[in-house]
Amino acid sequence: MTINEFNFAGKKAIVRVDFNVPLDENGKITDDTRIRGALPTLKKVLADGGALIIMSHMGKPKGKVNPKFSLGQIVDAVSAALGTKVLFAPDCAKAQDAAAALKPGEVLLLENLRFYPEEEGKPVGIDKEDPKYDEAKKAMKGAQKEFAKTLASYADAYVMDAFGTAHRKHASTAVIADYFDAGHKMLGYLMEKEVQAVDNILSNIKRPFTAIMGGSKVSTKIGIIENLLGKVDNLILCGGMTYTFAKAQGGKIGNSICEDDKLDVALDVIKKAKENNVNLVLGTDCIAGDDFKNDCNQKVCPSNDIPEGWEGLDAGPETRKAFAAAIEDAKTILWNGPAGVFEFDNFAGGSKAIADAIAKATANGAFSLIGGGDSVACINKFGMADQVSYISTGGGALLEAIEGKVLPGVAAIKGE
């Protein structure tokens, strides 16, 4: 069943969204991208004449009630975005009466799902090495099913529209689907677009294909890097990863971030890139700082010859040119992770150079997919969101999908 085919008139729909939005110290939303992304799905339910129950997580409360992560803080923002009053259920597992009372056109937002450990399905307060862990895990899986069954009991139809959590087999993202037949569970518009965008990258590749992988750690990206080596023409590795690769090849990296236990992995990536005829683009120069702050002293250094007391904080001018050359001629582009500490304005130039090159290629007909929180924050910071093909709302989910893994949140709907 697709959401377009389903008529919600007179029905209650429970929709899993990803409203894990960033809040400032006063509980005000600093980036409402995820709320705006869910609006087409939510408005379809209401436009059909259905009643809407919205559920989401926020942060990592680890199965305990924590006011800092209460979705009560965003009720007004969701009301404003939807253009209608949103009711609030202060306990997601005890919302039966509130759900039953909902009339067509009304909206109910449930409190943070992760206030219950059953949402994630992980035993709490017991170590994995404990002999009773397996028993506790089995018991928690049973409790997770009951929790999902309770959530399912609120509605006639289930819509999965939280791509950011689609790689997790949680109660609200996958287990709940077991309690709806094939005609009453579906992907939301956002999920459909995300799945299509990944398909464009993996199954409909127009060449040359350039992938840009940034961020601080090789360890968090190695799975996707290895998978991409069999698909891309150009692979740009940037950000903090640069210095692990530089040190692995015998370079001096000063105080730069480095994973010393991944030097052999870095060398293996270089070897595999050659074997696959992939043009591996690594930083040759960097902008180094003598402290980790925006207004520190800075100078351009070779990436493999950074003085002691200095650390690489951004891609240098020659590196930016090399990145642009590998991006501007591409017809398929994937960007995940910045080229430097873009949060500091003085070290955002490398990431801006990547964004500029992607925008230029997109204008020339390339399909560009931006994914992962930091890359999305980059594009938004530079005001260039409208100059790329697609911005994904999912970080980990996007990476796992591109790695070729089946996402539980998608499989639960499609019966894969």
Side-chain angles (χ1 to χ4, degrees), residues 70-100:
S70 173
L71 288 173
Q73 300 171 93
I74 68 168
V75 171
D76 290 346
V78 177
S79 296
L82 273 175
T84 190
K85 184 183 178 185
V86 173
L87 306 169
F88 185 62
D91 187 331
C92 63
K94 294 175 182 171
Q96 290 90 342
D97 292 346

Side-chain angles (χ1 to χ4, degrees), residues 152-172:
S153 72
Y154 301 159
D156 307 299
Y158 167 63
V159 184
M160 171 56 176
D161 210 28
F163 185 71
T165 57
H167 59 313
R168 307 289 188 205
K169 193 170 184 178
H170 290 171
S172 67

Side-chain angles (χ1 to χ4, degrees), residues 100-115:
L102 273 190
K103 297 182 180 66
E106 291 187 336
V107 186
L108 176 68
L109 174 65
L110 305 183
E111 179 58 286
N112 194 338
L113 296 159
R114 288 189 186 171
F115 283 177

